[in-house]
Amino acid sequence: MKLGITQNISEYFGENLLIAEKLIKENTFFQKVSSMIEAIQPLISQNMLVLANHVDLIIKSRERDDNRIQRLFDSVLDYTGMCDDGLILFKRLCRYYYDINHQVTAEYVRIYHDLYDSEEEGDHHG
């Protein structure tokens, strides 16, 4: 009889220890990822400034070169999931390019939704 109780207690604590170990590992992983994200924030901000300058230049100069604009779309799209400024820049470029090539603009919007809306269902980044 005592063996059964001891075995049950051991199993109970053993299961809880496994859960505790898993939580510690997840927390450690989360802390490492958070530190990495913090470390690259200045680089993201710097790249956003460069991309914003390119978008501004294209809009101000009324650029119509599909290849150039689409390359910029590809770059901006990488940042739409990282920061709100990336999404704002993406929307600005979409509004500008829609009058030039509405089909390709719609395709970039679909790509955005495929990449980012499926990750966080219901979060449409405003």
Side-chain angles (χ1 to χ4, degrees), residues 39-67:
I40 65 169
Q41 282 302 322
L43 183 59
I44 291 171
S45 296
Q46 182 181 8
N47 288 345
M48 284 304 306
L49 286 173
V50 170
L51 289 173
N53 287 336
H54 284 287
V55 169
D56 289 343
L57 181 62
I58 280 180
I59 292 171
K60 287 178 184 175
S61 68
R62 300 191 174 286
E63 177 72 54
R64 299 185 67 81
D65 182 344
D66 284 317
N67 291 328

Side-chain angles (χ1 to χ4, degrees), residues 2-80:
K2 285 185 180 180
L3 181 62
I5 293 173
T6 305
Q7 185 177 0
N8 287 341
I9 290 171
S10 180
E11 287 175 4
Y12 174 79
F13 284 114
E15 185 176 313
N16 283 336
L17 285 175
L18 289 175
I19 292 170
E21 287 174 2
K22 182 180 177 188
L23 290 173
I24 289 169
K25 286 179 183 176
E26 287 175 359
N27 188 37
T28 301
F29 174 74
F30 177 75
Q31 288 174 347
K32 286 180 182 178
V33 170
S34 293
S35 295
M36 289 174 13
I37 291 171
E38 245 180 72
I40 65 169
Q41 282 302 322
L43 183 59
I44 291 171
S45 296
Q46 182 181 8
N47 288 345
M48 284 304 306
L49 286 173
V50 170
L51 289 173
N53 287 336
H54 284 287
V55 169
D56 289 343
L57 181 62
I58 280 180
I59 292 171
K60 287 178 184 175
S61 68
R62 300 191 174 286
E63 177 72 54
R64 299 185 67 81
D65 182 344
D66 284 317
N67 291 328
R68 183 171 181 210
I69 295 170
Q70 289 174 33
R71 281 193 307 272
L72 185 56
F73 256 124
D74 292 338
S75 296
V76 170
L77 195 57
D78 290 338
Y79 289 87
T80 58

